[in-house]
């Protein structure tokens, strides 16, 4: 049986994109088997798991554009990993308050997103220097999330992804990252009622 030999713990497709999520699921699956769960049950359960709110959360599709709320990406490494999870055209909304974090993760990004839409903030000022050195262009920085969403909405086409993955904290504009993530979701869902 599965306990004697090899068992496939991960399904081919997961609801959340990217290698970091696959690795997290594999770790959780291995722990479940160690604690006695039947390995045969795991792939279907993982396939149905939609992830966690505010963490690379696909919460809407409108006009063929997929919208992801990744507001808990409050450090550059998290935002860079999220960006790398999408092979296609990504419109990245980023920026915010600085915690004096190392920006190497942005420096090592292999390719520029389709567009970068920035929120004002002390971290954004430092991010601009990195983007400038890479020869990347951006829109903003904008003083409100609504302005940034307007820009992303205008730029995105069917088949694209709009990714809100700030790579910074939220304190200059929001109470915390969850307030920021809910504001992003409300702005998108307000434009596109019934988007799923």
């Amino acid at each position: 049986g599965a306990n004697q030999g090899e068992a496939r713990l991960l399904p081919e497709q997961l609801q959340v994109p990217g290698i970091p999520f696959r690795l997290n699921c594999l770790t959780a699956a291995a722990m479940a088997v160690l604690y006695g769960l039947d390995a045969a049950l795991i792939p279907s359960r993982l396939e149905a798991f939609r992830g966690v709110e505010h963490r690379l959360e696909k919460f809407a599709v409108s006009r063929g554009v997929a919208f992801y709320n990744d507001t808990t990406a409050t450090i550059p490494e998290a935002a860079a990993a999220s960006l790398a999870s999408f092979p296609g055209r990504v419109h990245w909304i980023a920026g915010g308050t600085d915690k004096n974090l190392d920006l190497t993760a942005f420096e090592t990004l292999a390719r520029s997103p389709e567009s970068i839409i920035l929120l004002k903030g002390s971290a954004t000022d430092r991010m601009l220097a990195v983007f400038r050195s890479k020869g990347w262009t951006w829109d903003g920085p904008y003083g409100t999330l609504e302005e940034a969403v307007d820009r992303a909405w205008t730029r995105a086409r069917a088949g694209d992804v709009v990714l809100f993955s700030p790579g910074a904290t939220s304190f200059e504009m929001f109470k915390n990252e969850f307030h920021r993530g809910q504001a992003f979701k409300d702005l998108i869902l307000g434009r596109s009622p019934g988007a799923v």
Side-chain angles (χ1 to χ4, degrees):
N3 292 338
Q4 300 295 353
E6 290 184 15
R8 180 169 185 84
L9 297 178
L10 282 183
E12 286 297 320
Q13 288 294 315
L14 292 170
Q15 301 263 353
V16 178
I19 291 170
F21 186 74
R22 289 190 76 77
L23 291 174
N24 288 342
C25 285
L26 186 57
T27 302
M31 293 305 294
V33 169
L34 287 174
Y35 279 95
L37 187 71
D38 182 356
L41 300 173
I42 293 173
S44 63
R45 304 271 168 85
L46 287 176
E47 198 169 28
F49 180 56
R50 295 178 52 94
V52 179
E53 187 177 22
H54 303 302
R55 289 172 176 82
L56 209 53
E57 171 196 12
K58 182 180 183 180
F59 67 93
V61 176
S62 179
R63 304 172 304 140
V65 177
F67 293 88
Y68 285 83
N69 167 26
D70 192 38
T71 187
T72 55
T74 60
I75 60 172
E77 292 82 357
S82 294
L83 272 170
S85 297
F86 298 99
R89 290 168 40 106
V90 178
H91 304 275
W92 177 34
I93 302 174
T97 309
D98 197 7
K99 292 191 290 190
N100 267 330
L101 295 171
D102 183 356
L103 298 182
T104 304
F106 293 144
E107 292 167 5
T108 58
L109 282 170
R111 65 182 183 98
S112 170
E114 182 66 25
S115 66
I116 301 171
I117 298 136
L118 294 171
L119 295 169
K120 280 185 181 168
S122 50
T124 307
D125 299 337
R126 292 181 58 227
M127 291 163 80
L128 286 174
V130 173
F131 300 156
R132 206 173 278 120
S133 74
K134 294 175 79 67
W136 293 1
T137 59
W138 58 87
D139 293 315
Y142 294 107
T144 68
L145 183 56
E146 187 168 11
E147 291 172 285
V149 164
D150 284 346
R151 192 67 186 128
W153 189 270
T154 302
R155 282 183 164 270
R157 303 281 176 262
D160 292 359
V161 164
V162 170
L163 172 65
F164 181 45
S165 190
T169 62
S170 58
F171 304 125
E172 288 167 292
M173 282 188 198
F174 301 96
K175 286 185 289 201
N176 55 44
E177 68 266 27
F178 307 112
H179 176 223
R180 174 175 68 182
Q182 192 58 55
F184 175 67
K185 289 166 63 170
D186 290 346
L187 284 166
I188 297 299
L189 295 171
R191 293 168 168 273
S192 185
V196 213

